[in-house]
Amino acid sequence: MKNPLTERVEGQLSHRGERQLIQDISAWLGPCSIPAPYGIGDDAAVVDNSDVTQVIAKDSLVLNKHFDSQTNPAQVGAKLLKRNLSDFAAMGASPGYALVAAFLPKSTTVDWLRGFYTGLRDCCMQYHVKIIGGDLSSTFEDLAFSLTLIGSGNEKLLTRKSANPGDTLWVTGSLGGSIQGKHLDFTPRLEEGQWLSNTGHITSAIDLSDGLATDLKNLCPEGCIIELDTDSIPLSDACQSMAKNSDRNAIDHALTDGEDYELLFTLKKSFNSQEFSAKWEANLKTNLTCIGKLDIMRDNSMNPIRYFGSSKNFSGQGYEHY
Amino acid sequence: MKNPLTERVEGQLSHRGERQLIQDISAWLGPCSIPAPYGIGDDAAVVDNSDVTQVIAKDSLVLNKHFDSQTNPAQVGAKLLKRNLSDFAAMGASPGYALVAAFLPKSTTVDWLRGFYTGLRDCCMQYHVKIIGGDLSSTFEDLAFSLTLIGSGNEKLLTRKSANPGDTLWVTGSLGGSIQGKHLDFTPRLEEGQWLSNTGHITSAIDLSDGLATDLKNLCPEGCIIELDTDSIPLSDACQSMAKNSDRNAIDHALTDGEDYELLFTLKKSFNSQEFSAKWEANLKTNLTCIGKLDIMRDNSMNPIRYFGSSKNFSGQGYEHY
């Protein structure tokens, strides 16, 4: 099969030179790249500060982990930004500026890279993000990117591990089977995250990137347990179709498949669930489901995540990077 | 030869798990890592802003490009930060916070990684930098790091390409032969950069990372030429010893060897050179040399860099990443 990443030796980076490549990238990024010293072209980028609280995320992509050589490079560029936007959504923050580090084998083609940066540009335009800098490094085998996203939040920023016993647990959208396409073609829940932050009723939040079973642990504070009703987990169509062709059921997929990019959050126990659902539906189109609640951990030897419903004996875990 | 990066299979990352690894890294970083949401542990990091101008740099390291498997991992960690500090020096900026992305093959050992992060920590302590976040990704072959450094500057920030005809050209320290050791064991010229910025007499600056011959081009503004006296270039001892064992002379090494991490800058033509040298010596210990000046480009077909002195026919170039 043709490999768009390296096909045509004369189109590879080794024939281009770094200075030319940086000029290419500035041109590909077009209006979402701004001139030095506020953008690409100097030793560092400069941002004129206002007096808001700043939020900074850093997330990466690696070939054959998060995309493959047949993936449309424009979708790879967009995914790099959207993974970081999903982190911003989980804090209720607003994006502003980005820096991109590219690690590229010399065999990478300029065509592929143009596709990547123009895809990144289009996604930046959509979310009003400016690219202010970055870095190019040559590698031997692996092709990877790291993006740093800088933006702002208000005093009601959503954090992890700040829920309390009695709070209810909620998830946006539907889960599982992301590998069938959603891992590239997803909408970061920025609008939802900012709305949640502004209600003042949300006690904690996280975005689902490593699978519900793993990310639940990252949300659960010390001294708490999470009681999860596995039958209430919203299952995606992809998840149900995958379950038909695998030895795992749909709930298992929804608990362990990574890259959902949905929000998982907790609502103050004092706030009525039905009232909250109605308020959500009046403001947002995305599906919302209550899937459990938090309780006090009464015995330190207890597993902090307790499963109820038809998958109550679930003992798997989400994606492990190592 | 033993490979400290992968030696002992049972010490490799694949036996550790990501959550444990993130806890390890927080512990290794010790006091230079601060708790979430201001540091490691949430979807993004939060910085409370003051009303100064913000400066952001992003620079990377790749195994077998910038260090090898025999390099002390603590020196690798320090080098990652110092490369970025050198960019800050070139703008006269002050560092504050950093985020680190690590791209690691599963065969990397926890021992090596501990050495890396504790070396990074010690360097952070020295320069008063806090680590506020990062990202871990697994790769197949390459081991690489990308660091984003965030800090502040004042209204006199030094930039590239802002010099004028008649300005004099200066360089700190001595050049060439960095591969013999200085590329790991260097002092970023932060103090010098901040002092230069505060004088108000510096019209442009850059740090030397790709070799004088290449970085000169990055400093030279449109419509200008740089006249360089090759006999005045300060040659390092390493550069002179390398020239004895290579087919290139010492000046050639000083012009093309990368990773000097010295400052190259221009002084306003109205400011007397001898007076400036005296002022520098009264305030700073680092060696300083005037190596040339800028002039108007009278003919567009001219090479913007003109060499004088014994290497006047020099036609090489510095390090090319691609």
Side-chain angles (χ1 to χ4, degrees), chain A residues 13-14 17-19 21 37 41-66 83 87-88 90-91 99-106 132 134-142 144-148 150 157-160 205-207 210 214 217-218 319-322, chain B residues 13-14 17-19 21 37 41-66 83 87-88 90-91 99-106 132 134-142 144-148 150 157-160 205-207 210 214 217-218 319-322:
Chain A
L13 299 188
S14 50
E18 189 189 10
R19 281 164 60 87
L21 208 51
D42 215 305
D43 294 290
V46 174
V47 176
D48 282 329
N49 267 7
S50 58
D51 53 354
V52 296
T53 296
Q54 196 164 44
V55 178
I56 306 163
K58 192 170 178 77
D59 216 340
S60 306
L61 285 185
V62 178
L63 173 64
N64 292 327
K65 302 272 180 186
H66 304 101
R83 276 167 70 87
D87 285 327
F88 265 52
M91 300 196 80
L99 298 91
V100 186
F103 295 90
L104 307 168
K106 293 190 181 187
I132 58 171
D135 178 55
L136 287 173
S137 303
S138 66
T139 54
F140 297 91
E141 290 285 336
D142 287 296
F145 300 95
S146 170
L147 186 141
T148 303
I150 300 170
L157 273 179
L158 307 174
T159 58
R160 299 179 183 181
I206 191 172
D207 77 312
D210 294 340
T214 290
K217 297 177 198 163
N218 293 324
Y319 185 74
E320 271 284 320
H321 297 267
Y322 288 100
Chain B
L13 298 188
S14 50
E18 189 188 10
R19 281 163 61 88
L21 208 50
D42 215 305
D43 294 289
V46 174
V47 176
D48 281 329
N49 266 9
S50 59
D51 54 352
V52 297
T53 296
Q54 196 164 44
V55 179
I56 305 164
K58 191 169 178 81
D59 216 339
S60 306
L61 285 184
V62 178
L63 172 65
N64 292 327
K65 301 274 179 185
H66 304 101
R83 276 168 70 87
D87 284 327
F88 264 53
M91 301 196 79
L99 298 92
V100 186
F103 295 89
L104 307 168
K106 293 190 180 186
I132 58 170
D135 179 54
L136 288 173
S137 303
S138 66
T139 54
F140 297 91
E141 290 286 336
D142 287 297
F145 300 95
S146 170
L147 187 141
T148 304
I150 300 171
L157 273 179
L158 307 174
T159 58
R160 298 180 183 182
I206 190 172
D207 76 313
D210 294 340
T214 290
K217 295 177 200 165
N218 293 324
Y319 184 74
E320 270 285 320
H321 298 268
Y322 289 100

Side-chain angles (χ1 to χ4, degrees), chain A residues 66-93:
Chain A
H66 304 101
F67 63 98
D68 64 36
S69 64
Q70 301 304 313
T71 311
N72 179 344
Q75 285 191 301
V76 179
K79 180 172 181 176
L80 179 64
L81 179 62
K82 289 196 293 180
R83 276 167 70 87
N84 283 280
L85 291 173
S86 186
D87 285 327
F88 265 52
M91 300 196 80

